[in-house]
Amino acid sequence: MATPLAKATPHAPMRFAILASGRGSNAMALLDAFESGFIPAHVGVVISNKADAEVLSKAAARGYATQLIEHRGKTRAAHEQEVLACLRKQRIDHILLAGYMRIVSADFLREFSGKVLNIHPALLPDFPGLHAAEQQWQAGRKVVGATVHFVDAGVDTGQVILQGSLIARGDESADALAHRLLHEVEHLIYPRAVRLFLERMSYNEKDNTQ
Ligand code: GRF
């Protein structure tokens, strides 16, 4: 008699870490999406390099494990080793950078190749680097936007996953535009990009087993 085929065991939900350096509004939008099940995965830890980053208290208040790993006074390599140790301890599969004001090195990325996502407040490849929302305003762009992309060793050069845009009003300040971009675009596209990323991964897995 033929042996029945073993049932595919669905793997345990993926575990994400969120790395952020500031107020953490994108991190909170992501946590909303994890909690509602829109992103079918777990957040294992929220890490910040800044002691006064609001993201730490906001995430802790929602019951998440948080970790402060300060970079000050350490080499990039030493700091990254501490972050990697924390990620390993928490059995993290994927990393979401959300206003994380540190460049991650090629060494760090080697361990999480294709598994680190970032949000950037411009329509990449235009306006990489700092103050991108303001740069779009200064350039007088009519259509401004934000991008979720894979992180590679360059500055905002990784493959794009999802972009969203809005029409700039001629009369708004740079701050007002950045605020709208954050609330009307970034908070919407980041959770959707993460969901898309997971969907693509499971699609690729199925494709490989057929
Ligand atoms: C956002 O504009 C994000 O795109 C950029 O840094 C900002 C972080 O804001 N990378 P918040 O901490 O998520 O509120």
Side-chain angles (χ1 to χ4, degrees), residues 16-20 45 47-49 69 71 75-89 92-98 100 102-118 150-154:
F16 282 76
I18 299 178
L19 273 58
V45 67
I47 299 175
S48 184
N49 59 316
I69 307 177
H71 66 278
T75 63
R76 183 177 303 283
H79 178 249
E80 288 188 342
Q81 280 311 315
E82 278 185 47
V83 175
L84 283 171
C86 174
L87 297 171
R88 287 184 204 117
K89 190 170 158 210
I92 296 302
D93 301 296
H94 306 291
I95 301 168
L96 304 175
L97 306 184
Y100 186 59
R102 303 275 304 158
I103 289 172
V104 288
S105 74
D107 278 346
F108 181 95
L109 290 170
R110 204 162 297 129
E111 189 158 332
F112 282 92
S113 174
K115 296 176 170 188
V116 186
L117 277 60
N118 180 43
F150 286 105
V151 175
D152 64 13

Side-chain angles (χ1 to χ4, degrees), residues 5-13 205 209:
L5 287 174
K7 263 201 189 145
T9 352
H11 50 60
E205 270 175 21
T209 53

Side-chain angles (χ1 to χ4, degrees), residues 134 137 172-181:
E134 290 75 9
W137 181 86
E172 67 192 329
S173 64
D175 281 354
L177 181 61
H179 182 85
R180 282 209 301 133
L181 202 51

Side-chain angles (χ1 to χ4, degrees), residues 20 22-27 98-101 118-121 182 186-187:
R23 69 192 156 191
S25 71
N26 275 294
Y100 186 59
M101 303 306 284
N118 180 43
I119 184 148
H120 180 76
L182 190 69
E186 294 189 43
H187 295 172

